[in-house]
Amino acid sequence: MSPRTQGHHFVSSDSYSGRHRAPGRHRAPRRGPRIAKSGYLLPGAAAAALVVTATGATVAESAPAYFDLTGTAAKARAHDAASAKFNRVETDQQREVQVTAARARVLEAARIARSAERSAVVKKRAAAAALKKAEADRKAREKWVMPINGAVFTSGYGWRWGRLHAGDDFGTPVGTPLEAMSTGTVTFAGWQGGYGNKIEIEYWDGTVSVFGHLSQIETTVGDKVAPGDLVGLSGNTGHSTGPHLHLEIHPDGGSAVDPAPWLHDHGLQ
Ligand SMILES: [Zn+2]
């Protein structure tokens, strides 16, 4: 073998070792930092310098910087940062939720207060309306009306021929409607001597009215009446000289009084 051949062989095997060598053979001598399969860099001068300069950092932070070549530690840091950010965001969200809840509570309290206020106003108005209605009802119930309409006053209360004429006479055609003068109860309905057909009504204030000489009685004892209710028809029965209504007023059910001033005092006539 010539050196050339040998050399050729040597050069050949060396130059083409990348192509032809069998696995695990003809490895190049180790020079400088070895690359491990794991991808970690073994400590060298530069890495040592990194450790020295990383004095301000924690071990956990410096360790990946020291070893990391593949970005695993960087990924971990990124993850930590993202996690911290996530935690911040979560805290922000929690705070926002708390603030929103607090605001909602305040608004709800205000809403309840307003609602109560409105409710109070509504109740006050309802109470006022009820009072007004009650007052209107009372006025309607205690209202006084004339027992007869369109009648002509013909004879007043007073002594006549030695006898007391205890009421007023109103001339009116037979069959004229006669009305209850206010709210009350019928206490008499029937024939009685000179009165002919007679009706007595006791009203809410104790006053008793007497209607005489009726042609027709349209109510019975015990009937509840309201102002203006029809109770009978005028006539000419009993001691009567012509068709008329004989009206008596007995305050508190006592003696008859002159109807004229009483009617005037009650807004009638
Ligand atoms: Zn009379």
Side-chain angles (χ1 to χ4, degrees):
M1 280 281 187
S2 66
R4 180 182 170 83
T5 305
Q6 282 182 340
H8 179 260
H9 176 77
F10 176 82
V11 168
S12 177
S13 75
D14 188 56
S15 299
Y16 297 97
S17 61
R19 282 188 197 169
H20 301 291
R21 74 173 184 214
R25 290 181 61 201
H26 301 292
R27 269 196 175 161
R30 289 176 183 171
R31 288 189 300 269
R34 188 185 67 150
I35 307 294
K37 280 184 182 176
S38 64
Y40 287 126
L41 179 65
L42 290 177
L50 248 181
V51 173
V52 170
T53 55
T55 49
T58 66
V59 173
E61 283 170 333
S62 65
Y66 176 46
F67 289 113
D68 191 26
L69 271 187
T70 58
T72 304
K75 282 177 189 167
R77 279 198 304 278
H79 176 266
D80 287 348
S83 183
K85 189 182 177 186
F86 174 78
N87 287 337
R88 271 202 309 279
V89 168
E90 197 173 46
T91 305
D92 286 348
Q93 284 174 345
Q94 283 171 348
R95 193 179 303 119
E96 200 176 326
V97 165
Q98 286 170 354
V99 167
T100 302
R103 200 171 288 149
R105 281 196 297 274
V106 169
L107 290 174
E108 177 64 4
R111 191 192 67 73
I112 288 169
R114 279 198 307 275
S115 179
E117 216 167 276
R118 276 197 298 273
S119 179
V121 168
V122 167
K123 277 182 186 168
K124 203 173 174 183
R125 282 182 187 158
L131 201 69
K132 198 174 175 182
K133 189 185 181 300
E135 178 62 11
D137 287 351
R138 188 188 64 77
K139 279 185 177 172
R141 194 169 57 248
E142 298 180 358
K143 171 185 161 188
W144 292 95
V145 299
M146 281 296 287
I148 196 170
N149 294 302
V152 179
F153 175 80
T154 51
S155 181
Y157 174 96
W159 290 94
R160 207 166 297 158
W161 307 293
R163 292 180 59 185
L164 177 67
H165 182 237
D168 279 352
D169 291 341
F170 298 91
T172 188
V174 171
T176 301
L178 301 178
E179 301 172 0
M181 296 176 71
S182 191
T183 299
T185 306
V186 175
T187 53
F188 184 93
W191 186 274
Q192 187 184 352
Y195 286 99
N197 286 318
K198 178 190 175 193
I199 292 174
E200 284 183 16
I201 301 171
E202 183 180 348
Y203 300 106
W204 58 270
D205 69 342
T207 301
V208 173
S209 71
V210 173
F211 301 165
H213 314 306
L214 279 65
S215 63
Q216 190 78 38
I217 291 172
E218 300 288 348
T219 189
T220 56
V221 172
D223 277 357
K224 303 293 180 186
V225 293
D229 280 359
L230 177 73
V231 290
L233 302 175
S234 70
N236 194 28
T237 58
H239 295 302
S240 176
T241 55
H244 76 282
L245 166 68
H246 173 83
L247 171 66
E248 292 178 15
I249 297 294
H250 299 251
D252 294 320
S255 299
V257 296
D258 186 350
W262 189 94
L263 291 173
H264 184 267
D265 287 348
H266 289 74
L268 308 170
Q269 296 243 316

